[in-house]
Amino acid sequence: MEEKKLIFSAIQPTGTFTLGNYIGAVRNWAPLQDKYDCIYCVADMHAITVKQEPAKLRQNILSSYALLMACGIDPERSILFIQSHVPTHAMLNWILCCNTQFGELSRMTQFKDKSQKHPDDINAGLFTYPSLMAADILAYNADFVPVGIDQKQHLELSRNIAQRFNQRYGDFFTLPEPYIIDVGAKVMSLQEPTKKMSKSDENPNACILILDDKDTIVRKFKRAVTDSEAEVCFRDGKDGINNLMTIYSAVTGKDFASIEAEFAGKGYGDFKTAVGEAVADHLEPVRTEYARLIADKAYLKKCYTEGAERAMKISSRTVAKVYHKVGFVDLK
Ligand code: TRP
């Protein structure tokens, strides 16, 4: 029997994901379970590279875990765990930090952006974050890593770190490849459609959260910024309409031509309502399943405990070999 390739991905625990996180990343993770062995992780250790309120973080980690399950990740078929539960990530991180260059980390655009945004807290963790991300991936020798465009640079660095380690200590790590999911365009802000949809946007109408209720979703879409024409069609310069068409297409499976036909001669009002309702209906089962899971803390605990045990089993084998390779004295 041919061995399945291994997928690894992780998401930071923001509690609830945006429609952008959902369409661009998380909803594509469940179908991968049919073809690959999958390991998915809530990256809570990455989250503390920026200031977090502890009680809130704890809540967000649990709700992110439940949300991943609600989006179809099956904790029995796949390994689904919380990063801080599996100490091998921190152990491997140290070794990889010692194989990552200051210059490489300095070139990371996310580091530059985040240090500009938080000038009062440019901590060492924020700087070495890509080494931890490399540790996440390399601990399992993942073949493919589904990531969005914003993480591509970090993934390339992971490959470079793995390559350098292999050169220094002999071939060992699998070089991870990006798994590009073709979702068409990025999901943009509903208020400023040239900017990415983001949870941290000051205008709450700019961003759809996947746990928003139907009324909220429809209302936000009704307020979406469009243009002064009255034609639903995908064209350069029609950023607002293009974004709404992308979203509508993503949740209904309709292509742009049939969307244009469906709304020919109708106003933007009708179109915006239709998009809002389609999104809300599409997300309804996720919300329902999430509500069921988050109310069942004992079951969640059972899932993340088993997930951590399974992740630990694989990654501790990797770390033991890495320790030996770098010249540490075997304990057993
Ligand atoms: N850095 C990723 C993000 O912010 C999350 C992440 C952490 C990740 N470790 C990873 C993604 C490993 C892919 C593989 O979105």
Side-chain angles (χ1 to χ4, degrees):
M1 206 178 74
E2 208 189 323
E3 237 185 77
K4 284 189 192 160
K5 295 277 189 192
L6 182 67
I7 294 259
F8 181 95
S9 201
I11 189 158
Q12 292 202 40
T14 51
T16 171
F17 308 138
T18 67
L19 184 63
N21 298 141
Y22 177 77
I23 290 176
V26 176
R27 81 146 167 186
N28 307 293
W29 290 5
L32 293 172
Q33 298 175 118
D34 298 333
K35 256 178 76 189
Y36 300 98
D37 286 326
C38 297
I39 304 181
Y40 295 125
C41 157
V42 176
D44 55 349
M45 289 161 67
H46 279 90
I48 60 163
T49 55
V50 296
K51 274 199 204 89
Q52 301 282 346
E53 214 254 288
K56 187 78 197 143
L57 177 63
R58 205 173 339 269
Q59 252 180 21
N60 282 346
I61 295 167
L62 266 187
S63 47
S64 299
Y65 190 92
L67 257 177
L68 290 176
M69 285 172 68
C71 291
I73 292 163
D74 175 350
E76 285 186 11
R77 263 209 294 170
S78 302
I79 299 179
L80 178 60
F81 70 101
I82 298 171
Q83 191 181 26
S84 64
H85 287 167
V86 183
T88 42
H89 291 237
M91 295 160 82
L92 187 56
N93 172 46
W94 179 251
I95 310 283
L96 297 183
C97 271
C98 298
N99 286 275
T100 310
Q101 299 302 304
F102 179 86
E104 293 176 303
L105 292 171
S106 315
R107 284 194 289 277
M108 294 296 115
T109 50
Q110 193 178 74
F111 173 70
K112 290 190 234 171
D113 290 348
K114 286 199 178 174
S115 35
Q116 235 170 30
K117 258 198 217 153
H118 309 277
D120 57 332
D121 187 20
I122 307 179
N123 63 77
L126 187 66
F127 188 62
T128 60
Y129 166 125
S131 300
L132 179 59
M133 182 162 153
D136 298 341
I137 300 164
L138 301 179
Y140 305 93
N141 276 304
D143 298 291
F144 297 113
V145 182
V147 283
I149 280 287
D150 62 321
Q151 293 297 319
K152 246 189 111 199
Q153 197 187 27
H154 289 161
L155 187 58
E156 266 156 31
L157 181 54
S158 297
R159 274 177 72 89
N160 293 341
I161 296 171
Q163 227 156 7
R164 182 167 310 124
F165 185 96
N166 287 352
Q167 266 158 17
R168 225 178 245 180
Y169 298 105
D171 234 8
F172 180 67
F173 287 124
T174 305
L175 301 186
E177 285 181 37
Y179 187 97
I180 305 294
I181 294 164
D182 188 13
V183 286
K186 263 197 300 208
V187 174
M188 310 303 268
S189 156
L190 298 185
Q191 292 295 318
E192 275 178 84
T194 49
K195 270 184 17 191
K196 190 177 135 184
M197 179 179 282
S198 160
K199 202 188 155 196
S200 51
D201 202 303
E202 271 154 36
N203 185 340
N205 289 322
C207 175
I208 302 289
L209 302 174
I210 68 173
L211 293 176
D212 280 345
D213 59 32
K214 183 162 185 172
D215 287 350
T216 308
I217 293 177
V218 172
R219 194 186 62 237
K220 287 180 180 175
F221 274 104
K222 278 192 180 150
R223 296 190 183 158
V225 167
T226 50
D227 53 56
S228 57
E229 302 173 0
E231 199 190 350
V232 176
C233 72
F234 198 96
R235 200 189 313 130
D236 260 5
K238 289 175 75 79
D239 298 319
I241 290 295
N242 294 351
N243 188 36
L244 295 180
M245 287 181 69
T246 302
I247 294 171
Y248 192 63
S249 163
V251 297
T252 61
K254 295 176 184 167
D255 62 17
F256 289 164
S258 59
I259 298 172
E260 285 170 11
E262 184 179 347
F263 294 96
K266 295 194 184 145
Y268 284 167
D270 290 346
F271 179 50
K272 290 199 262 188
T273 306
V275 180
E277 282 178 354
V279 168
D281 292 346
H282 181 87
L283 292 176
E284 174 70 42
V286 176
R287 275 199 304 279
T288 310
E289 181 63 1
Y290 171 80
R292 194 182 71 78
L293 288 166
I294 203 68
D296 193 349
K297 295 285 188 306
Y299 177 60
L300 278 181
K301 185 167 185 183
K302 174 176 172 282
C303 293
Y304 64 68
T305 306
E306 284 173 11
E309 281 165 4
R310 290 166 67 200
M312 188 64 192
K313 206 165 158 193
I314 302 173
S315 57
S316 58
R317 258 183 264 136
T318 308
V319 169
K321 287 184 196 152
V322 167
Y323 270 24
H324 184 82
K325 279 191 167 286
V326 303
F328 292 167
V329 174
D330 299 330
L331 185 57
K332 283 192 208 119

